[in-house]
Amino acid sequence: MKVTIAQINTTNGDIDGNTSRIISAIEEARQQGSDLVVFPELVTHGYTSQDWFQDRDIVERSQDPLQRIIPATKGISAVVGTIRPNPDNDGRRIYNSAAVISDGKLLGYVDKTLLPEYDVFDDPRWFEPNQKERQLFEINGCKVGVVVCEDFWNDKTFWKDRLYETDPADEVIDMGAELVVSINASPYNKGKIKLRCDMVAHRAKANKVPIVFVNLIGGNDGIIFDGASLIADEEGDIILQAAAFSEFVETVEIDCRKPDARGITGSEPSAIHDALVLGIRDYARKNGFERAVLGLSGGIDSTLVAALAAEALGPENLLCVMMPSPFSSEGSVTDSEDLIRNLGCEGRTEPISSAFEVLIDQLNLRKPTKGGESIAAENLQSRLRGVILMAISNAEGRLLLSTGNKSELAVGYCTLYGDTNGGLAVLGDLLKTEVWAVAREFNERAGREIIPNRIIDKKPSAELAPNQFDQDSLPPYELMDPVLELYFEQKLSPKEIVAAGHDPELVYGVLNKVEHPANEFKRQQLPPTLIVSRNAIGVGRRRPITHKYRRTMTAG
Amino acid sequence: MKVTIAQINTTNGDIDGNTSRIISAIEEARQQGSDLVVFPELVTHGYTSQDWFQDRDIVERSQDPLQRIIPATKGISAVVGTIRPNPDNDGRRIYNSAAVISDGKLLGYVDKTLLPEYDVFDDPRWFEPNQKERQLFEINGCKVGVVVCEDFWNDKTFWKDRLYETDPADEVIDMGAELVVSINASPYNKGKIKLRCDMVAHRAKANKVPIVFVNLIGGNDGIIFDGASLIADEEGDIILQAAAFSEFVETVEIDCRKPDARGITGSEPSAIHDALVLGIRDYARKNGFERAVLGLSGGIDSTLVAALAAEALGPENLLCVMMPSPFSSEGSVTDSEDLIRNLGCEGRTEPISSAFEVLIDQLNLRKPTKGGESIAAENLQSRLRGVILMAISNAEGRLLLSTGNKSELAVGYCTLYGDTNGGLAVLGDLLKTEVWAVAREFNERAGREIIPNRIIDKKPSAELAPNQFDQDSLPPYELMDPVLELYFEQKLSPKEIVAAGHDPELVYGVLNKVEHPANEFKRQQLPPTLIVSRNAIGVGRRRPITHKYRRTMTAG
């Protein structure tokens, strides 16, 4: 049997457009001689539609896409992620389903059983869990078992900790499935592409059953689906690996016995690069922005955002605004000018000094001095930059990209309504050390020094006071980032982080900063952050502002 | 048997402080001759702790509070909402439980079965659902059935639509409970106090069983628990009704046969008034702010926030900043001065004209004219006000209160990083017509015209361009608000709203504005909003920014 991975990019609520894309992919598959074409989870409506799944009109018209898709399957079979109304009066109004279609007929639906409620996922808010008996579908003489996303992700022989007791994929294998089809909306984060390969290969080999695992691709606010779909044969060999971060519609014969790993390319910084470029491009494109603007400080964060945005949108669509103050170093402007020249984008200079002088006098604020107490005047500079960038965004219809990194946002080293302003936080899920790594990777891929090495190598500074450097108020990023990594990614407790060899004072100092209400408050007002980790600030980490949880070294 | 309602105000994570408050309330109950004292849901840790419930240290030390509480129950019984670790390897790490304690001994735990996942609730994210057999507890010779929150809220003889098939409260009644104890964290919204009374009285009467229903009180970011706990006897008569919006520890004899309705006071605007005052006070107090600041425009929104904040924090702790521009009417300043005098708070004037002139020239922005296209220059004024207020907030350590109403925020009639700035959006869940109603109520309760009637009666204007009025760009609030009410509160579809008698052009025009990505984008960066409705902007309404769902009159 020939099977097609139809890894497509959908937009929330573009029901007609998504349906047309599904039908064109079925046509591509047919031309490739496919027997079965498999789409990701919820492709008709968009997986990230959130409370739109509670909308009565959407529920009422939920079958519209299938009315167009079913007749388009003459001579071929398809598995399509969609919603199905719950006919009962009790419970959620819809199921998260796979429609199994063959030769112009709907064979049936498979509803999702395990509804994830963690990290960025809130499935139980919208969907009723499956209560039907499982069934297999006969497609081209082959018994096919179909499961939706999480229903594949609970293999007790693969995971150490499990959230659920049942394993729907195991159930269809026990029923005698000769092929397992798993449709997914699994977001990218570091290491996830390899994890999925391992998980799929493990199950295929352990059960001697081929597995077709199809994943969504595309950016949706902060959530980036990487695709990287794959098909494993009954030996656990990967016989088709889709590209990551782009659409992919390709077909393979299940019995071909030829491993194919075209989708696995490059290092993790390279994958992060691709994820961010896709995230910027899709956020702009799906929201109708052609052009973007950002503030270029001469530091590495805004520099990397400029480089990624120029790649995502075209340098001709990017405006970089330099906004020097009396505390800006000379290198800030000249380094920025070098970058603008290298990228070929537009540059503009808008000093903040005049407005700053007016307001600092009027409000009688203490002027910034080296090591002085001048938080109001320091923030004022950042906020005036935010005001200028938003004025340009409003006047020219440009998307404002914000440039803060996760290390800064974690410990609150940022100015709310200042440098946090924007429609999208491009680096909000990258630690500072990751920003440097992706910047180096950027030059390496380009084969030349597009990002001036001087910017990569300079000592981090907010330049809001004379001779101010990040490390006057923060531990060195080289020491802080590993602690943040263990806290966010591994969800280790402070005790465990200390046990892993980190300085106790540093660990408790950093984490008490991260969790302080004054910083939770800032983070609750950030734009969506492009997510590349297992625990991003924002949608994947949900904490109250108001709280008195405090870490103490004695209490652990 | 004598039973005590222990309606107390907890802080997330203030585990020692919450535990001390629990112990002092047990002591109060003992002095009132009580046999059984009942606390709300999750009082040891704070119901709104969100992902703190996943913290390993918190889970590990979850039994600390009970170790202090149990010995404090000598000669009395108590039901206390807390967390209980899940001993199994699979599933969530904790249960949301009621600890049933008597005379210095833990009789057992009752775990929550039905875990709400809608509106502001995300219980399945943190808690494992109950899998134990139900049991009754023998307290003072009486068989007591205990249920946690949602487990009481699924009575099939009361609700038309139900989310769950089972009814744990019914199960304990069927087992022969002679008293039902229901511990809750049920947030305030309009009509909710009466709804709870009806629901409790209905079940008590239908089953001939007395019910003790205890609810949390206190503000936690945007979520305001109103308390208004109650005890119904087996006739369904309410024999003890706690005050709303304040702590309450009182005891009643279950067989007293004397209805008591002391907690039900006043109209809905009066309840909203009390909710907002509690919300402001608790957000400030629990986060360590004594003083607040806001921008006073001369319009009704900022005026009402000033009046409520003066009541919540004391007028001596409130600074009102007037920031006139060339487009401010003369009345704006004089009306504001009258208000400041009436409230007895501090006033300050910081014109934005100088900074505005500097930036409008530097950025070469088109100046605002009547009906002109000058969005960048209009927003610039609002953002300069935001910059000034944040500078004062930073310099003086004052909490900035933002003043936008729900009608404006719904249709995007606000400036992000401008008038939306702040730590708390006080009126973000009040429609404009509700703002007027609460303002009138404020004067009525005061018995004098504290809020100048001129401010209540004036034509709404943002005053960002010459002779600009809200109704140049928006439908009249009297027409728009009922549509927003049906959309948010009743979750009606546009078709249904039109069928209820509203103009189709208006309905589709307004809702397409509400749901437009450009407005979702603004709303995702708002401060927490004090919630008074069944579907607040923010935590209770979750929508993607990026989407192409569009309402059309033909498609319904």
Side-chain angles (χ1 to χ4, degrees):
Chain A
M1 179 154 66
K2 293 181 84 173
V3 179
T4 306
I5 288 174
Q7 173 180 303
I8 63 171
N9 191 345
T10 59
T11 300
N12 299 322
D14 186 12
I15 298 173
D16 285 345
N18 296 339
T19 302
S20 298
R21 182 68 191 101
I22 292 164
I23 291 170
S24 74
I26 292 172
E27 189 50 38
E28 285 176 71
R30 183 182 283 117
Q31 285 171 13
Q32 293 172 14
S34 176
D35 299 307
L36 170 63
V37 47
V38 180
F39 291 87
E41 185 179 9
L42 284 176
V43 269
T44 51
H45 291 71
Y47 177 75
T48 45
S49 293
Q50 298 184 278
D51 284 357
W52 280 102
F53 287 130
Q54 295 173 337
D55 188 277
R56 296 188 195 193
D57 287 341
I58 300 303
V59 172
E60 198 174 289
R61 300 171 56 94
S62 64
Q63 302 307 285
D64 289 4
L66 285 192
Q67 286 175 19
R68 287 178 58 203
I69 294 166
I70 292 171
T73 61
K74 283 276 173 331
I76 195 169
S77 299
V79 176
V80 179
T82 189
I83 56 177
R84 179 175 86 83
N86 172 7
D88 289 351
N89 223 10
D90 293 347
R92 263 68 186 176
R93 306 314 319 132
I94 53 174
Y95 293 94
N96 176 345
S97 297
V100 185
I101 309 165
S102 190
D103 195 23
K105 289 201 192 71
L106 178 69
L107 301 185
Y109 288 100
V110 176
D111 304 326
K112 192 172 182 175
T113 310
L114 308 179
L115 299 175
E117 173 57 65
Y118 53 82
D119 192 42
V120 303
F121 304 107
D122 297 283
D123 276 26
R125 187 172 169 98
W126 307 297
F127 308 120
E128 190 66 10
N130 173 51
Q131 285 130 9
K132 281 192 301 188
E133 292 277 302
R134 277 187 206 293
Q135 66 171 124
L136 300 180
F137 297 88
E138 176 106 5
I139 293 175
N140 282 50
C142 173
K143 286 182 200 151
V144 178
V146 176
V147 290
V148 180
C149 205
E150 198 81 347
D151 286 2
F152 189 87
W153 290 71
N154 200 41
D155 183 346
K156 64 177 175 299
T157 69
F158 186 80
W159 300 99
K160 205 180 66 189
D161 296 315
R162 303 196 311 163
L163 271 179
Y164 324 95
E165 283 177 16
T166 60
D167 179 356
D170 228 28
E171 292 171 19
V172 295
I173 291 169
D174 284 349
M175 288 171 72
E178 295 158 344
L179 176 70
V180 173
V181 168
S182 165
I183 70 170
N184 296 266
S186 167
Y188 170 72
N189 53 53
K190 287 170 276 177
K192 191 89 160 280
I193 295 177
K194 179 171 183 308
L195 173 73
R196 287 193 212 103
C197 289
D198 293 347
M199 176 181 75
V200 171
H202 175 87
R203 201 194 278 272
K205 193 171 177 185
N207 296 284
K208 297 263 168 235
V209 64
I211 294 172
V212 179
F213 182 102
V214 176
N215 188 26
L216 195 58
I217 179 259
N220 294 279
D221 298 345
I223 300 176
I224 302 163
F225 298 99
D226 54 306
S229 305
L230 66 147
I231 300 180
D233 68 14
E234 61 181 36
E235 307 291 326
D237 288 328
I238 292 172
I239 55 168
L240 183 59
Q241 167 83 56
F245 306 108
S246 61
E247 287 203 332
F248 182 94
V249 181
E250 294 288 345
T251 304
V252 70
E253 168 60 52
I254 288 287
D255 292 329
C256 69
R257 308 297 302 268
K258 276 180 292 190
D260 169 326
R262 77 183 81 166
I264 300 292
T265 55
S267 59
E268 205 67 58
S270 176
I272 294 174
H273 171 120
D274 291 345
L276 300 179
V277 168
L278 175 62
I280 296 168
R281 185 183 290 141
D282 269 13
Y283 188 78
R285 180 176 65 84
K286 293 180 181 179
N287 285 308
F289 285 100
E290 281 191 9
R291 304 191 303 165
V293 59
L294 57 82
L296 199 59
S297 72
I300 187 58
D301 300 327
S302 56
T303 294
L304 180 60
V305 174
L308 295 168
E311 182 176 335
L313 308 174
E316 69 282 8
N317 291 315
L318 178 65
L319 170 64
C320 294
V321 186
M322 290 159 286
M323 293 170 288
S325 82
F327 311 111
S328 301
S329 64
E330 198 181 316
S332 297
V333 173
T334 56
D335 291 345
S336 295
E337 284 167 347
D338 286 349
L339 176 78
I340 288 167
R341 206 173 309 115
N342 295 352
L343 293 176
C345 63
E346 188 184 344
R348 196 182 296 174
T349 303
E350 294 289 357
I352 59 166
S353 308
S354 309
F356 180 63
E357 289 302 325
V358 165
L359 285 172
I360 207 169
D361 286 349
Q362 175 175 336
L363 297 170
N364 204 15
L365 298 180
R366 191 175 302 153
K367 291 200 182 181
T369 53
K370 173 76 184 168
E373 288 285 322
S374 54
I375 187 74
E378 293 180 36
N379 284 337
L380 176 60
Q381 297 164 69
S382 181
R383 293 199 177 107
L384 283 173
R385 293 190 175 111
V387 162
I388 289 171
L389 290 169
M390 283 305 294
I392 293 171
S393 166
N394 286 162
E396 303 182 12
R398 289 178 184 269
L399 171 64
L400 173 58
L401 298 172
S402 85
T403 64
N405 64 64
K406 188 177 190 170
S407 307
E408 290 174 358
L409 299 175
V411 295
Y413 197 73
C414 59
T415 302
L416 188 61
Y417 320 130
D419 55 283
T420 61
N421 283 9
L424 190 67
V426 176
L427 306 180
D429 198 27
L430 267 69
L431 298 172
K432 186 79 175 186
T433 44
E434 294 174 316
V435 172
W436 282 316
V438 174
R440 291 203 177 88
E441 165 77 19
F442 191 95
N443 283 348
E444 200 157 304
R445 280 165 67 137
R448 62 197 179 91
E449 191 186 329
I450 291 181
I451 296 176
N453 286 329
R454 263 196 328 285
I455 297 180
I456 301 178
D457 296 332
K458 73 170 62 162
K459 207 169 151 190
S461 164
E463 300 197 334
L464 298 172
N467 293 311
Q468 181 185 48
F469 295 99
D470 293 12
Q471 274 151 45
D472 301 341
S473 18
L474 298 179
Y477 291 111
E478 292 75 7
L479 296 180
M480 187 167 74
D481 281 5
V483 172
L484 293 174
E485 174 88 13
L486 293 172
Y487 172 78
F488 282 107
E489 288 267 336
Q490 311 296 333
K491 303 208 179 172
L492 295 195
S493 73
K495 259 187 308 194
E496 292 166 320
I497 298 173
V498 170
H502 297 276
D503 175 60
E505 300 257 0
L506 176 86
V507 171
Y508 285 86
V510 166
L511 295 190
N512 276 322
K513 254 190 188 156
V514 172
E515 296 172 340
H516 196 280
N519 295 327
E520 297 290 1
F521 149 72
K522 289 184 187 182
R523 287 192 295 263
Q524 288 219 357
Q525 298 188 38
L526 298 182
T529 286
L530 293 180
I531 300 173
V532 301
S533 84
R534 294 202 300 162
N535 191 216
I537 286 169
V539 69
R541 178 178 183 276
R542 301 184 192 163
R543 303 274 186 131
I545 294 173
T546 306
H547 76 86
K548 293 195 177 166
Y549 290 100
R550 294 292 183 275
R551 310 285 184 183
T552 58
M553 278 189 253
T554 49
Chain B
M1 177 153 68
K2 291 179 87 173
V3 178
T4 307
I5 288 174
Q7 173 180 300
I8 64 171
N9 192 346
T10 59
T11 300
N12 299 321
D14 186 13
I15 298 174
D16 285 345
N18 296 338
T19 302
S20 297
R21 182 69 192 98
I22 292 165
I23 291 170
S24 74
I26 292 172
E27 190 48 39
E28 285 176 71
R30 184 182 284 115
Q31 285 170 14
Q32 292 171 16
S34 177
D35 301 303
L36 170 63
V37 48
V38 180
F39 291 88
E41 186 179 10
L42 284 176
V43 270
T44 51
H45 291 71
Y47 177 75
T48 45
S49 293
Q50 298 185 274
D51 284 358
W52 280 102
F53 287 130
Q54 295 171 339
D55 188 277
R56 296 188 196 193
D57 287 342
I58 300 304
V59 172
E60 198 175 289
R61 300 171 57 92
S62 64
Q63 303 307 285
D64 287 4
L66 285 192
Q67 287 175 19
R68 287 179 57 202
I69 295 167
I70 291 171
T73 60
K74 283 275 165 354
I76 194 169
S77 300
V79 176
V80 180
T82 188
I83 57 176
R84 178 174 87 83
N86 172 7
D88 288 350
N89 223 8
D90 293 345
R92 262 69 187 174
R93 306 314 320 135
I94 53 173
Y95 292 95
N96 176 343
S97 297
V100 185
I101 309 165
S102 190
D103 195 22
K105 289 202 192 70
L106 177 69
L107 302 185
Y109 288 101
V110 177
D111 304 326
K112 192 172 181 176
T113 310
L114 309 178
L115 299 175
E117 174 56 67
Y118 53 81
D119 191 44
V120 303
F121 304 107
D122 296 281
D123 276 24
R125 187 172 169 98
W126 307 296
F127 309 119
E128 190 66 9
N130 172 53
Q131 284 130 9
K132 282 191 301 188
E133 293 277 301
R134 279 187 202 292
Q135 64 171 125
L136 299 180
F137 297 88
E138 176 106 6
I139 293 175
N140 281 53
C142 173
K143 288 181 198 150
V144 178
V146 176
V147 291
V148 180
C149 206
E150 198 81 346
D151 286 1
F152 188 86
W153 291 71
N154 200 38
D155 182 346
K156 65 178 174 298
T157 69
F158 186 78
W159 300 98
K160 207 180 67 191
D161 297 316
R162 302 196 312 163
L163 272 178
Y164 324 95
E165 282 177 15
T166 60
D167 179 357
D170 227 27
E171 292 170 19
V172 295
I173 291 169
D174 283 350
M175 287 171 73
E178 294 158 343
L179 175 69
V180 173
V181 168
S182 165
I183 70 170
N184 296 268
S186 167
Y188 170 71
N189 53 53
K190 287 170 278 178
K192 191 87 160 279
I193 295 177
K194 179 172 184 306
L195 173 74
R196 287 194 213 104
C197 289
D198 292 348
M199 178 182 74
V200 171
H202 174 87
R203 201 193 279 270
K205 193 170 176 188
N207 296 282
K208 297 260 167 240
V209 63
I211 295 172
V212 179
F213 181 102
V214 175
N215 189 27
L216 195 58
I217 178 261
N220 294 280
D221 298 344
I223 300 175
I224 303 161
F225 298 100
D226 53 306
S229 305
L230 65 148
I231 299 179
D233 68 14
E234 61 181 39
E235 307 291 325
D237 288 329
I238 292 172
I239 56 168
L240 184 58
Q241 167 83 56
F245 306 106
S246 61
E247 287 202 331
F248 182 94
V249 181
E250 294 288 344
T251 303
V252 69
E253 168 59 53
I254 288 286
D255 291 329
C256 68
R257 309 298 300 271
K258 277 181 290 187
D260 169 325
R262 76 184 81 164
I264 299 293
T265 55
S267 59
E268 206 66 58
S270 176
I272 294 174
H273 171 119
D274 291 345
L276 299 179
V277 169
L278 175 63
I280 297 169
R281 184 182 291 142
D282 268 13
Y283 188 79
R285 180 176 65 83
K286 294 180 181 179
N287 285 306
F289 285 100
E290 282 192 9
R291 303 189 306 163
V293 58
L294 56 83
L296 200 58
S297 71
I300 186 59
D301 298 329
S302 56
T303 295
L304 179 60
V305 174
L308 296 168
E311 182 175 333
L313 307 175
E316 68 283 8
N317 291 315
L318 179 65
L319 170 64
C320 295
V321 186
M322 291 160 287
M323 294 169 286
S325 83
F327 311 111
S328 300
S329 64
E330 197 180 316
S332 298
V333 174
T334 54
D335 291 345
S336 294
E337 286 168 345
D338 286 350
L339 177 78
I340 288 168
R341 204 173 309 116
N342 295 352
L343 292 177
C345 61
E346 186 183 348
R348 196 181 299 174
T349 303
E350 294 290 357
I352 60 167
S353 307
S354 308
F356 180 62
E357 289 302 325
V358 166
L359 285 171
I360 206 170
D361 284 350
Q362 175 175 337
L363 297 170
N364 204 15
L365 299 179
R366 192 175 300 152
K367 293 201 179 179
T369 53
K370 171 77 183 169
E373 288 285 324
S374 54
I375 186 75
E378 292 180 35
N379 284 337
L380 176 59
Q381 297 165 68
S382 181
R383 294 201 176 106
L384 283 173
R385 292 189 175 113
V387 163
I388 290 172
L389 291 170
M390 283 305 295
I392 293 171
S393 166
N394 285 161
E396 303 182 13
R398 289 179 183 269
L399 170 65
L400 174 57
L401 298 172
S402 87
T403 63
N405 64 63
K406 187 177 192 173
S407 307
E408 289 174 358
L409 300 175
V411 295
Y413 197 73
C414 57
T415 301
L416 188 62
Y417 319 130
D419 54 283
T420 61
N421 283 12
L424 190 67
V426 176
L427 306 180
D429 199 28
L430 268 68
L431 298 172
K432 186 79 176 187
T433 44
E434 293 174 317
V435 172
W436 282 316
V438 175
R440 290 201 179 89
E441 166 77 20
F442 191 96
N443 282 347
E444 200 158 303
R445 279 165 69 140
R448 62 197 180 93
E449 189 184 331
I450 292 182
I451 296 176
N453 285 329
R454 261 193 333 283
I455 297 180
I456 301 177
D457 295 334
K458 73 169 64 163
K459 207 167 150 190
S461 165
E463 298 196 336
L464 297 173
N467 293 310
Q468 181 186 49
F469 295 100
D470 293 11
Q471 273 151 48
D472 301 342
S473 22
L474 298 178
Y477 291 111
E478 292 75 7
L479 295 181
M480 188 166 75
D481 281 3
V483 171
L484 294 173
E485 172 89 14
L486 292 173
Y487 171 79
F488 283 106
E489 288 267 336
Q490 311 294 332
K491 303 210 179 171
L492 295 194
S493 72
K495 260 186 309 195
E496 292 167 321
I497 298 174
V498 170
H502 296 276
D503 176 59
E505 300 258 359
L506 175 87
V507 170
Y508 284 86
V510 167
L511 295 190
N512 275 322
K513 254 188 190 159
V514 171
E515 296 172 340
H516 195 281
N519 294 328
E520 297 290 359
F521 149 72
K522 290 183 186 181
R523 285 191 297 261
Q524 289 219 358
Q525 297 187 38
L526 298 181
T529 286
L530 294 180
I531 300 174
V532 301
S533 84
R534 293 202 299 161
N535 191 217
I537 287 170
V539 68
R541 179 179 182 276
R542 301 184 193 164
R543 304 274 186 132
I545 294 173
T546 306
H547 76 86
K548 292 195 178 168
Y549 290 100
R550 294 295 182 273
R551 310 286 185 182
T552 58
M553 278 191 249
T554 49

